[in-house]
Amino acid sequence: MPILDLSQISIVSRSSYPGQLAEAVSGRSWQALGDVGGITQFGVNLVFIEPGSASSLRHYHLEQDEFAMMTEGELVLVENEGEIVMRPGDCAAWPAGQENGHHLVNRSDKRAAFLVVGTRTLTETAIYSDIDMMVTDTPGAENNFTRKNGSPLTADQIGDRK
Amino acid sequence: MPILDLSQISIVSRSSYPGQLAEAVSGRSWQALGDVGGITQFGVNLVFIEPGSASSLRHYHLEQDEFAMMTEGELVLVENEGEIVMRPGDCAAWPAGQENGHHLVNRSDKRAAFLVVGTRTLTETAIYSDIDMMVTDTPGAENNFTRKNGSPLTADQIGDRK
């Protein structure tokens, strides 16, 4: 049956962020529900954020639509226009190419979770709002982190956790 | 802000099913969260099913992946392999092209709801499992319901609600 047994799906945690930048998401983990269910056109993850951690560095995507629904706890959505608290049932959508950097931060004392959907595309670029960094994905060369002008990140930059 | 105010989003209800076939989904309505949020690469709907109604006629898609998470109440997922009850937090995935017809039926006495995601594609064909019907979408010719051999549905068939 295509129903997913969440109790049997691995919870994974990793980050491709270079250097110290990964610390911002050290309390992030997820279950790859879409992958486990065999779908490929969009990704669906159930993401868990521990207190003090964030869903990502604040960013936006150039090619991929994103959508999220809160399922547990409380997270603060941080965007260009400010901050808003999200609770279970709250939803947000980020159309591809809209230059509105966003992430979800857990400032509570309990674990929080959300379901997130993102299109799968062969190529992608994400732009980080608060630091001089972008990441490009092309077939065979994924997670290519650079400065926004394409030049290599400096050691100094990837120790920068603002 | 991309956060969606669900209290302000219209709840719509309609069906393109021909003839009496629409009765199976007469208690179905939804909020088009993805459309309201401005995303176009996949659809996201919050779907409400009243007691006695179903999410759709049992079907599968040839081109589009589908994913659902229960958010309220209790629905029975009916598939080729049988039936299983789904409750809030339960998830299911239906990869494009897998010939496993599915729908969600409300056999309880309370409203139920689920979030559903489906890829947007220029063309699509859905095959109905329990009746001799399919539907094709092509640009400019959507919701073209026919028999599985492409011939027109008969009046008799579209009064057939099995």
Side-chain angles (χ1 to χ4, degrees), chain B residues 66-84:
Chain B
E66 272 192 298
F67 182 93
M69 172 183 264
M70 286 289 294
T71 60
E72 175 188 333
E74 193 174 292
L75 291 168
V76 179
L77 170 61
V78 183
E79 299 191 320
N80 290 1
E81 296 171 27
E83 302 188 350
I84 190 165

Side-chain angles (χ1 to χ4, degrees), chain B:
Chain B
M1 304 277 288
I3 192 169
L4 303 173
D5 183 352
L6 271 62
S7 72
Q8 298 300 309
I9 297 177
S10 304
I11 297 177
V12 296
S13 181
R14 62 174 179 272
S15 169
S16 57
Y17 288 149
Q20 301 300 314
L21 296 176
E23 285 187 19
V25 295
S26 60
R28 175 188 70 182
S29 58
W30 66 91
Q31 292 177 299
L33 303 188
D35 288 347
V36 171
I39 61 177
T40 58
Q41 298 166 356
F42 50 85
V44 184
N45 289 330
L46 185 60
V47 182
F48 306 98
I49 308 292
E50 298 295 334
S53 193
S55 61
S56 65
L57 297 170
R58 200 160 77 85
H59 72 285
Y60 57 91
H61 290 276
L62 295 192
E63 297 187 40
Q64 299 174 348
D65 284 344
E66 272 192 298
F67 182 93
M69 172 183 264
M70 286 289 294
T71 60
E72 175 188 333
E74 193 174 292
L75 291 168
V76 179
L77 170 61
V78 183
E79 299 191 320
N80 290 1
E81 296 171 27
E83 302 188 350
I84 190 165
V85 174
M86 293 187 72
R87 297 189 179 87
D90 287 345
C91 296
W94 299 282
Q98 284 197 3
E99 299 183 0
N100 181 12
H102 56 272
H103 66 165
L104 293 157
V105 182
N106 189 344
R107 295 190 189 143
S108 80
D109 59 2
K110 293 193 179 67
R111 188 180 82 161
F114 60 94
L115 189 79
V116 64
V117 182
T119 320
R120 290 267 165 81
T121 53
L122 280 177
T123 59
E124 175 58 314
T125 300
I127 309 290
Y128 294 89
S129 306
D130 301 323
I131 54 178
D132 183 13
M133 187 170 84
M134 67 178 187
V135 61
T136 56
D137 290 323
T138 53
E142 296 180 345
N143 294 323
N144 180 33
F145 288 91
T146 64
R147 294 166 75 175
K148 288 174 183 170
N149 66 7
S151 66
L153 293 162
T154 63
D156 206 39
Q157 281 181 299
I158 63 176
D160 177 2
R161 281 177 285 141
K162 71 177 170 186

